[in-house]
Amino acid sequence: SDDCIMCAQAVEMMDHIIPGCVLSRQIWAMILTKLHFQDVQDEDVMPLWIRIRKVLPKENRRVFDSLFFLVGWTLWKERNARTFRNDVATPSELLQSIVDEANLWEMSGFRALRSLCHLL
């Protein structure tokens, strides 16, 4: 089947999995709420990313970009876990995975990520 393995509501394509899947949107909503951007949860993820980064101070944009790609990477790994190992994580477990990975990035030298990690 070419249906999305995470929601079974659309064709599985990169444009769907990372920003548009129901599970992806739920993860983004959880993160945006924790970052105090809850008023923008119904907006598509890609335009939202661009809009949020424009209002952030310049020194925080790189950090937000990194978090954005970390979320995408985590969602892609979840897709692969479901596809190849039949492992399914809950949204809360995925959020914790993102936090854990962000903490590893911080410990390995990306100190600027600390400013967002404490909010998640």
Side-chain angles (χ1 to χ4, degrees):
S1 171
D2 61 351
D3 288 343
C4 174
I5 195 157
M6 296 194 296
C7 73
Q9 295 181 7
V11 174
E12 183 181 69
M13 297 175 61
M14 181 71 75
D15 289 351
H16 170 73
I17 293 170
I18 305 299
C21 173
V22 172
L23 176 65
S24 299
R25 292 177 77 76
Q26 186 175 5
I27 297 300
W28 288 113
M30 292 167 71
I31 289 171
L32 292 171
T33 297
K34 289 183 178 290
L35 296 176
H36 306 289
F37 287 107
Q38 58 267 30
D39 59 325
V40 294
Q41 290 178 9
D42 292 332
E43 194 172 334
D44 286 339
V45 174
M46 296 304 282
L48 176 63
W49 167 50
I50 293 167
R51 192 165 69 76
I52 289 175
R53 74 181 312 276
K54 285 181 181 178
V55 300
L56 291 173
K58 193 171 186 173
E59 62 273 7
N60 292 342
R61 289 179 188 166
R62 188 182 94 172
V63 176
F64 183 72
D65 291 347
S66 295
L67 178 64
F68 183 86
F69 289 108
L70 172 58
V71 172
W73 174 240
T74 302
L75 291 168
W76 184 252
K77 290 191 312 184
E78 176 62 15
R79 178 255 178 217
N80 288 341
R82 289 175 183 221
T83 300
F84 300 114
R85 295 190 311 276
N86 204 28
D87 289 341
V88 176
T90 66
S92 296
E93 291 170 333
L94 287 174
L95 181 61
Q96 186 59 52
S97 177
I98 291 165
V99 170
D100 292 345
E101 186 72 18
N103 286 328
L104 285 174
W105 288 13
E106 180 192 346
M107 288 188 305
S108 60
F110 190 17
R111 304 268 185 260
L113 198 54
R114 181 179 316 204
S115 62
L116 290 181
C117 284
H118 77 279
L119 295 173
L120 302 176

